Amino acid sequence: MGMCRYVGSPTEVRIRREVADTEEVVCRSVYIMRVFDTMESGSSREGFRLPTSDKDIMFWPPDHKVICDLSQISLYRIPQHTVILMECGDLLPGFIKLKLMTPSGNKNVNSSLIASNNEIYISSFLYRAKMLESQQALGGIVRSSVQHGPCATFNNQGLEADFAHCFRSHHWPNIALPWIQRCQLKNWPPDYVLSSVIKDGCHVVPISSSPLNPVYDCEWRMSFSRAEQQLVSSMNHCQFLCYGLLKIFLKEVINSNENESCLCSYFMKTVVFWVIQNDNHLAWVPENLLMCFWTCFKLLISWVNRGECPNFFIPQNNMFRVKVVGQNQVALFAHLFGLYCKGISYLLLRPTIRKHLYR
């Protein structure tokens, strides 16, 4: 009950999502008139209203169509549509190159093109820089935007907002096809959610597997933000509260001021997805909330110990690859294992959680 007061009751969370759905439908036509389609993502869109809830908005040109193989090019009308082909090649799982197949009328795209082996590719580095420049030129509060990963970030009265300028594919990527079979085998998510996720495809955002190395400037990362939204919405409320509890634990314990770590809330969401799908014996009911939390926490510790956090959609993509390595990994594991040894009662020492457990 305390977590419902802090994170939101089932009704409150449902209303927040419905309001966001309505806002998206209303605003979408306005943005398309400005040559952009848009989608809100992040924890605010998922239904949270925590102090750390971020607001992420993805923008993409709706007439640019990303395909996964050449057979899909016939689905689009040229020259009304600009067709872009995903190329995986020998890249790390989850990263691709974007090859321009038909001419583009978008000046930012055309300013980001580079030639390689007699083919034309869109540089993620150049596109990111062009979109940041365009956003800063709008003036107002977005004039202060700075680059943060694949996003242009600005601060609005203490609330950070991330704008990710990307491209959308209406096709489910070939490398993620095994995910469909895994979901069917594990019976999560439900079939209707799985069908909707596959139908919506994915996005590609302008960030490479090694952002500081110019050799990788043509790489883009696959993003499954829409799919993640639908998976979170399909959770029961106990699962959603457990996800919220992990976010609070990350902020107040793992990433406390004296002990800043390399973990982010995206890893917490990934942990919850894997536990829901793989642990069929775990009862996701309110009276078992702390046990659900502890199960997720133990999985997180095992990942840190191995230095491996498998992406939920593409497990070959180790999301700890450049973040949880070397001394960072050793220190983080020592910290998390120390918390594990103290037991779940350690939660009582944290301000937000203690307040609710003592009620």
Side-chain angles (χ1 to χ4, degrees):
M1 289 175 65
M3 285 299 297
C4 281
R5 281 192 289 269
Y6 189 75
V7 173
S9 68
T11 301
E12 287 173 321
V13 173
R14 177 178 54 79
I15 291 172
R16 290 168 188 168
R17 291 171 179 165
E18 288 177 355
V19 168
D21 288 341
T22 304
E23 183 181 19
E24 190 170 283
V25 170
V26 171
C27 293
R28 185 171 179 266
S29 58
V30 176
Y31 281 115
I32 288 181
M33 288 172 62
R34 297 175 183 172
V35 203
F36 278 115
D37 206 341
T38 182
M39 180 190 87
E40 184 184 343
S41 58
S43 58
S44 178
R45 184 64 177 83
E46 291 169 346
F48 289 105
R49 294 298 182 269
L50 303 176
T52 55
S53 293
D54 53 337
K55 195 174 184 70
D56 302 333
I57 303 178
M58 305 176 78
F59 295 91
W60 64 92
D63 58 341
H64 285 56
K65 309 294 184 179
V66 178
I67 60 175
C68 300
D69 59 65
L70 287 173
S71 65
Q72 295 164 347
I73 198 170
S74 60
L75 300 174
Y76 300 106
R77 299 189 303 276
I78 301 168
Q80 292 97 320
H81 295 144
T82 297
V83 179
I84 303 166
L85 176 66
M86 284 188 193
E87 283 190 350
C88 296
D90 56 355
L91 304 181
L92 287 172
F95 292 88
I96 59 165
K97 290 184 177 180
L98 294 181
K99 181 161 74 174
L100 194 68
M101 303 300 295
T102 61
S104 170
N106 186 301
K107 66 177 182 179
N108 289 313
V109 171
N110 289 330
S111 300
S112 307
L113 301 179
I114 59 174
S116 177
N117 298 323
N118 297 319
E119 304 286 1
I120 303 297
Y121 293 88
I122 306 173
S123 163
S124 60
F125 174 80
L126 293 176
Y127 190 74
R128 202 168 59 236
K130 283 291 178 185
M131 298 314 294
L132 175 63
E133 183 182 308
S134 299
Q135 187 166 311
Q136 290 171 336
L138 294 174
I141 57 174
V142 297
R143 181 180 296 169
S144 60
S145 299
V146 295
Q147 201 68 57
H148 180 247
C151 304
T153 301
F154 68 93
N155 193 299
N156 181 19
Q157 297 179 344
L159 176 67
E160 277 199 355
D162 290 338
F163 285 2
H165 294 275
C166 56
F167 294 102
R168 182 180 179 184
S169 173
H170 289 270
H171 310 280
W172 191 251
N174 297 330
I175 192 172
L177 288 175
W179 178 79
I180 300 173
Q181 286 125 28
R182 191 177 84 230
C183 292
Q184 293 169 335
L185 181 66
K186 302 285 188 176
N187 294 315
W188 193 83
D191 287 342
Y192 74 93
V193 177
L194 181 61
S195 299
S196 179
V197 165
I198 297 167
K199 182 181 177 182
D200 276 344
C202 67
H203 293 81
V204 289
V205 295
I207 192 73
S208 71
S209 59
S210 183
L212 299 179
N213 192 333
V215 172
Y216 300 93
D217 281 355
C218 270
E219 288 185 359
W220 295 66
R221 187 180 71 205
M222 292 182 187
S223 168
F224 297 93
S225 290
R226 176 72 83 180
E228 290 159 12
Q229 246 178 56
Q230 296 187 64
L231 293 181
V232 171
S233 294
S234 73
M235 292 178 179
N236 70 32
H237 200 60
C238 179
Q239 292 165 341
F240 184 72
L241 291 180
C242 183
Y243 174 26
L245 187 55
L246 282 163
K247 289 165 76 73
I248 296 168
F249 188 73
L250 175 70
K251 177 180 182 292
E252 296 190 356
V253 181
I254 301 176
N255 286 355
S256 59
N257 292 335
E258 1 17 290
N259 194 61
E260 191 68 28
S261 89
C262 42
L263 296 183
C264 64
S265 62
Y266 188 77
F267 297 140
M268 303 299 110
K269 177 161 57 177
T270 303
V271 165
V272 176
F273 285 162
W274 279 109
V275 170
I276 292 174
Q277 188 173 74
N278 285 332
D279 196 334
N280 294 326
H281 302 293
L282 188 61
W284 291 95
V285 293
E287 54 268 30
N288 205 35
L289 176 60
L290 291 182
M291 182 55 67
C292 296
F293 167 85
W294 199 240
T295 302
C296 293
F297 182 50
K298 289 192 289 185
L299 179 59
L300 178 66
I301 294 175
S302 71
W303 283 354
V304 172
N305 185 40
R306 299 198 313 265
E308 180 181 354
C309 174
N311 180 275
F312 186 64
F313 301 92
I314 306 173
Q316 312 94 291
N317 178 9
N318 175 15
M319 298 188 297
F320 281 175
R321 182 178 53 86
V322 294
K323 289 190 173 184
V324 184
V325 294
Q327 188 55 41
N328 282 343
Q329 180 186 355
V330 173
L332 181 60
F333 176 75
H335 179 50
L336 295 182
F337 188 70
L339 297 174
Y340 173 78
C341 291
K342 292 176 182 176
I344 203 164
S345 60
Y346 183 73
L347 286 171
L348 294 173
L349 301 179
R350 311 323 302 167
T352 299
I353 302 167
R354 180 181 64 231
K355 178 174 61 178
H356 298 309
L357 288 179
Y358 274 153
R359 284 180 182 272

